[in-house]
Amino acid sequence: MALSEQEQEVGAREVLERFRQAAISRSADDMSRVYAVDAVHEFPFTRPGLPSRLEGRDEIVDWIAAGWKDHALKYERYRTLAIHDTNDPETIIVEQEALGTSASTGEFALPNIVVLTVRNGQIACLRDYVNILAAAAAMGRDI
């Protein structure tokens, strides 16, 4: 998937917005465009049965798309609490909440912190510090 010169110049904040829009629209095609072929998506806080690391665009997007089918959570928007720049201009730290509705429990707000590194206008590494207790509660499940 070749990137245009304009796409390669896109910074981390713009890539974050593309990622969010792909998640809201549940578009595997858009999600594929936001991740680099050799991207890594990590979940430092996870639970048994869930991956702590996904490697490569295909594995990442397949896992995300399967989650859209398996879970009744529908993201409707994101609330940015703060975005912190780092010494690396291609890396930002984002404090945010994913807001939406759950078929099981109604409205939800999932707090998380994301450390996002981009390369050539795509996600190279995303460390997703999702609040797994809040996610389980939104789905009406125990951990």
Side-chain angles (χ1 to χ4, degrees):
M1 200 173 286
L3 297 175
S4 70
E5 189 174 313
Q6 182 181 10
E7 287 175 310
Q8 291 179 13
E9 294 177 8
V10 171
R13 283 173 164 70
E14 292 84 1
V15 172
L16 172 68
E17 288 309 314
R18 288 180 185 173
F19 171 82
R20 288 173 168 180
Q21 285 306 312
I24 290 167
S25 66
R26 293 184 172 197
S27 171
D29 289 339
D30 290 348
M31 197 61 78
S32 287
R33 283 191 279 280
V34 81
Y35 278 96
V37 171
D38 60 347
V40 173
H41 190 127
E42 298 177 319
F43 301 94
F45 303 130
T46 191
R47 66 176 178 80
L50 292 179
S52 60
R53 180 181 175 93
L54 302 167
E55 295 184 28
R57 174 193 296 148
D58 292 343
E59 182 178 20
I60 295 165
V61 174
D62 287 350
W63 188 83
I64 290 170
W68 291 333
K69 291 177 186 167
D70 294 343
H71 299 109
L73 298 183
K74 174 72 173 117
Y75 291 4
E76 296 168 359
R77 66 186 181 93
Y78 286 81
R79 178 183 303 136
T80 302
L81 304 174
I83 298 179
H84 307 278
D85 293 315
T86 68
N87 290 335
D88 177 353
E90 294 185 318
T91 299
I92 57 174
I93 301 167
V94 183
E95 298 176 58
Q96 65 183 8
E97 293 176 325
L99 306 169
T101 55
S102 166
S104 301
T105 62
E107 292 184 3
F108 66 82
L110 296 180
N112 79 321
I113 295 174
V114 169
V115 180
L116 177 69
T117 300
V118 301
R119 182 180 63 247
N120 298 323
Q122 293 179 303
I123 296 172
C125 183
L126 191 151
R127 293 188 59 126
D128 191 351
Y129 294 86
V130 65
N131 181 327
I132 61 171
L133 295 174
M139 290 184 277
R141 298 181 183 164
D142 291 327
I143 289 191

